Amino acid sequence: MSLLTLDTRASLRPPAPVPRAEPLGPIALLKALRNNPLETWTRAHFEQPIVTGGLLIGEVAVVSDPASIRRVLLENVGNYRKDSLQRRMLSAVLRDGLLTAEAEQWRIQRRTLAPLFAKRCVMSFAPAMARAADALVDRWRRRGEGCVLDIAAEVTQVTLDVLERTIFSDGLGGDPEDVRTAMRTYFDTIGRIDPFDVLGLPDFVPRLGRWRVRPALRFFDAAVDAIIATRRSRLAEDPSAMPRDILTLLLEAQDPETGHGLSEAEVRANVITFIAAGHETTANAITWSLFLLSQSPQWRERVAAEAEREMGGSADALAERLVETRAVVEEAIRLYPPLVAISRAAIGPDELAGQRIRRGAMVVIAPYVLHRHRLLWDRPDIFDPDRFLNGARDRIDRYAYLPFGAGPRGCIGSAFALQEATIVVASVTRNFELRVPPGHAVWPVHRVTLRPQGGLPMAVRSRVRTRGRQHTLS
Ligand code: HEM
């Protein structure tokens, strides 16, 4: 075994709460759920294939047995629907885009939108992603050596930039900065859990948070409508002159079975859905990858060397060549899956991992728990991207590693997200060394997605480059 391998296996155990020996009592549980639900998981969750219990909302089963998860997400998928809390929270703003649509409306949208996220199409977005990464590198260089930046916030800007460049590649219209500000407000609002949604109050009861930001939301809706209308009329005039970005693809998309396109409302709902579902999740994946690399000199060097070798030329198939970087990203979202839990409501009774599931029970599949489960992983809490390299990945059960879910409702944007995260992580690591400032403790917190508590301050210094240019693209 080489020294490098020995070193890599020399146990980096990234920060995470120690599972509780016993479940919390009801009051302490409510408090912990409000502050950081990650701190409520017990040892049993990480050691048993299924843990059932009653909460205020009814019976809940946390399932970590791959065969049972396969049953819920694939084989018996018709018996499970997205639970109503999730739907209530999201559908008020996403208005029946792919993430929140159900039944026949979802089926039609899914088959109509599938080609947009097929491999070839996603690969055509690599140059736009590389340009967004280059813009980030330029911005950090201008900030000066050693400055401390909130990497979580910086990276969220890049993921919004990538979506802007891949959805609206010919611009945001007359007031791009105003649209960007409204877009940020919009997605900050979506990210908050409103107590009225939890109580199930109907949409006409005004939500305080949304009330305050309503002008920004209206402005963003109107801006998106205007961009769509302009693009539609330009497409009608001369389709060949239009960019092949997501907006054009959405406007041209046709249901392969009926030949019907999407309505104006569906185009808008899906533009907003892609931004909502795709920016913070991907930003978390990049943020945690950069944090883990800052803790692991061996992997930082491996990624920097790979980036040095593979970047600098064409962006075509770039992410395919960045295999080690991709393994780091996959390991980062194993340890810190951006979506901590996927939940479903059982429509009828079922049996999972030998336990009866009653009609109406909530079934929780928690990638955070599953990915650190003692029965499924060797040294589950240790950072080790080699798990995803040289054929080792093929030995991971498909239903033991679920950062993107699985089955018909699995993430449609997974290839897009992995490609983007790989390019951005490689680009940053090639150009910079990041260090957590002394005295700052990084801690994961579950707030809709899994993020570092209070952001991720890091000192940014230029990396001494061995060869090649700074930018990905000529
Ligand atoms: C690292 C980044 C991402 C993660 C971890 C992630 C995770 C997930 C997961 C776990 C689901 C399934 C939820 C469930 O079964 O209840 C999902 C669904 C979805 N994701 Fe992602 N996602 C990411 C990036 C993206 C991107 C970039 C896009 C689009 C540009 C996207 C669009 C969607 C949509 C539309 C759905 C709903 C699919 C359906 O119901 O048919 N996601 N995502």
Side-chain angles (χ1 to χ4, degrees):
M1 196 182 275
S2 74
L3 243 188
L4 184 68
T5 322
L6 261 181
D7 267 346
T8 309
R9 284 186 64 81
S11 308
L12 166 61
R13 180 186 288 268
V18 175
R20 297 184 171 279
E22 296 296 332
L24 289 166
I27 305 281
L29 179 66
L30 279 179
K31 216 170 132 199
L33 283 175
R34 223 176 61 132
N35 291 335
N36 188 5
L38 219 54
E39 294 175 17
T40 64
W41 298 111
T42 64
R43 254 187 244 155
H45 289 110
F46 296 89
E47 290 169 4
Q48 292 173 21
I50 186 163
V51 177
T52 51
L55 274 186
L56 296 175
I57 47 172
E59 187 185 309
V60 178
V62 180
V63 184
S64 302
D65 164 47
S68 305
I69 294 175
R70 187 184 154 90
R71 179 165 175 82
V72 174
L73 297 180
L74 186 69
E75 287 157 357
N76 197 19
V77 66
N79 189 46
Y80 295 92
R81 58 175 169 72
K82 295 207 170 187
D83 68 85
S84 51
L85 169 61
Q86 223 184 102
R87 258 190 70 76
R88 266 202 307 274
M89 274 166 49
L90 293 174
S91 57
V93 264
L94 301 184
R95 289 177 227 120
D96 291 333
L98 186 63
L99 189 65
T100 47
E102 290 281 3
E104 194 52 17
Q105 192 193 13
W106 166 78
R107 244 184 303 283
I108 294 171
Q109 285 199 28
R110 181 87 191 199
R111 62 180 187 238
T112 308
L113 296 174
L116 270 72
F117 292 95
K119 191 168 175 189
R120 208 157 53 98
C121 208
V122 168
M123 281 169 77
S124 75
F125 298 136
M129 293 170 176
R131 278 193 290 273
D134 283 350
L136 173 83
V137 169
D138 282 344
R139 195 166 74 234
W140 286 6
R141 287 209 187 284
R142 285 197 301 272
R143 300 298 291 270
E145 278 303 293
C147 68
V148 175
L149 300 174
D150 178 357
I151 300 302
E154 290 286 320
V155 160
T156 306
Q157 274 192 48
V158 187
T159 56
L160 283 174
D161 188 17
V162 164
L163 287 161
E164 187 182 323
R165 287 170 193 261
T166 50
I167 300 176
F168 312 111
S169 65
D170 61 352
L172 289 173
D175 309 305
E177 260 326 303
D178 291 351
V179 178
R180 279 184 203 115
T181 307
M183 180 154 83
R184 271 179 229 128
T185 312
Y186 204 106
F187 295 107
D188 278 356
T189 320
I190 289 180
R192 301 241 168 78
I193 298 176
D194 194 300
F196 282 12
D197 288 326
V198 179
L199 293 172
L201 299 189
D203 279 347
F204 59 78
V205 180
R207 270 57 167 172
L208 205 60
R210 264 177 238 151
W211 185 263
R212 256 188 289 119
V213 294
R214 194 169 271 187
L217 306 192
R218 258 198 241 115
F219 178 81
F220 182 63
D221 275 350
V224 172
D225 282 347
I227 296 169
I228 294 173
T230 310
R231 180 71 68 86
R232 202 187 273 287
S233 69
R234 289 178 61 201
L235 259 175
E237 278 165 24
D238 183 2
S240 64
M242 288 298 95
R244 306 300 301 159
D245 59 9
I246 291 179
L247 184 52
T248 295
L249 296 171
L250 272 172
L251 290 167
E252 287 180 353
Q254 286 183 343
D255 180 347
E257 287 182 19
T258 62
H260 292 157
L262 298 170
S263 70
E264 207 80 359
E266 285 173 324
V267 170
R268 181 172 73 171
N270 279 301
V271 162
I272 293 172
T273 294
F274 296 158
I275 304 175
H279 85 283
E280 192 177 311
T281 45
T282 313
N284 290 345
I286 299 170
T287 301
W288 287 114
S289 302
L290 294 175
F291 165 68
L292 290 164
L293 287 174
S294 79
Q295 305 299 299
S296 170
Q298 296 83 8
W299 278 99
R300 195 163 62 236
E301 272 321 301
R302 282 174 77 165
V303 167
E306 179 177 75
E308 210 62 80
R309 254 188 341 266
E310 302 296 344
M311 300 183 101
S314 150
D316 285 343
L318 177 59
E320 307 289 297
R321 303 194 302 271
L322 296 167
V323 282
E324 303 219 329
T325 315
R326 188 188 166 104
V328 167
V329 172
E330 292 191 295
E331 176 68 344
I333 58 178
R334 182 186 70 82
L335 288 164
Y336 301 109
L339 290 189
V340 172
I342 297 167
S343 55
R344 296 288 188 267
I347 296 168
D350 200 1
E351 192 180 305
L352 298 175
Q355 300 239 9
R356 257 189 77 72
I357 301 295
R358 268 203 280 268
R359 176 172 167 263
M362 193 199 249
V363 172
V364 175
I365 297 157
Y368 180 81
V369 172
L370 184 71
H371 294 176
R372 293 170 181 259
H373 205 281
R374 305 299 180 251
L375 298 178
L376 302 172
W377 299 88
D378 175 33
R379 307 193 313 155
D381 296 323
I382 302 297
F383 173 66
D384 181 9
D386 275 321
R387 299 175 203 273
F388 294 93
L389 287 172
N390 301 325
R393 195 189 197 306
D394 300 338
R395 293 193 289 278
I396 300 173
D397 189 311
R398 171 70 188 91
Y399 289 84
Y401 179 66
L402 293 176
F404 297 104
R409 293 223 68 150
C411 182
I412 200 169
S414 58
F416 185 102
L418 273 178
Q419 174 175 288
E420 173 182 353
T422 302
I423 290 174
V424 174
V425 168
S427 194
V428 167
T429 310
R430 182 181 185 217
N431 287 286
F432 301 104
E433 286 216 355
L434 307 179
R435 291 251 185 276
V436 179
H440 180 83
V442 174
W443 194 245
V445 61
H446 177 182
R447 288 269 145 74
V448 186
T449 57
L450 184 57
R451 11 174 134 164
Q453 190 158 35
L456 181 62
M458 301 254 247
V460 178
R461 288 189 188 285
S462 296
R463 185 178 152 266
V464 179
R465 303 277 304 280
T466 46
R467 62 189 164 89
R469 282 193 315 271
Q470 162 194 333
H471 283 163
T472 310
L473 297 171
S474 0

